[in-house]
Amino acid sequence: MTRYYTGGCQCGAVRYRIEKLGVASICHCRMCQKAAGNIFLPLVLVEGFEWTRGERGAFASSNMSTRGFCSDCGTPLTLETRDQFEVAIGSLDDPGAVKIAYH
């Protein structure tokens, strides 16, 4: 039986499902600080990601990255690049399932 991890935004308009959690980190770069409205943004690499409800808003925060968020409530959801897909740990239904590997 495949275990899925689920999550979404604060208002419930956008939901997702993940097959596999990868390495988790806490990013302190200025772009993540601005995206989170905080001094850091905890992110986890994921595989088998699927949107299950609603559509995420998108902002190209650099020439390499797109940040996904809820257009209704503003919750930060993803950091997407050509090579990897990361989810904001705080948007998971069970953020305790993730162990931070590094800052």
Side-chain angles (χ1 to χ4, degrees):
M1 179 177 170
T2 302
R3 176 180 179 188
Y4 291 101
Y5 301 90
T6 58
C9 67
Q10 185 174 8
C11 74
V14 180
R15 299 282 303 158
Y16 60 78
R17 181 172 72 184
I18 300 165
E19 290 181 12
K20 182 179 178 187
L21 297 173
V23 177
S25 65
I26 296 178
C27 186
H28 298 268
C29 82
R30 190 65 180 135
M31 282 192 293
C32 281
Q33 289 176 346
K34 287 287 197 175
N38 206 328
I39 59 171
F40 58 84
L41 179 59
L43 297 162
V44 60
L45 286 166
V46 299
E47 294 177 23
F49 183 92
E50 173 185 15
W51 298 107
T52 59
R53 181 186 315 150
E55 291 186 30
R56 63 131 168 83
F59 174 69
S61 59
S62 74
N63 63 348
M64 299 176 2
S65 305
T66 298
R67 294 181 184 270
F69 61 93
C70 175
S71 297
D72 291 336
C73 68
T75 301
L77 297 169
T78 61
L79 176 59
E80 306 159 34
T81 68
R82 180 178 45 214
D83 300 328
Q84 58 190 30
F85 197 97
E86 296 178 272
V87 167
I89 294 171
S91 71
L92 288 163
D93 291 336
D94 182 12
V98 177
K99 304 299 179 225
I100 303 297
Y102 65 94
H103 285 249

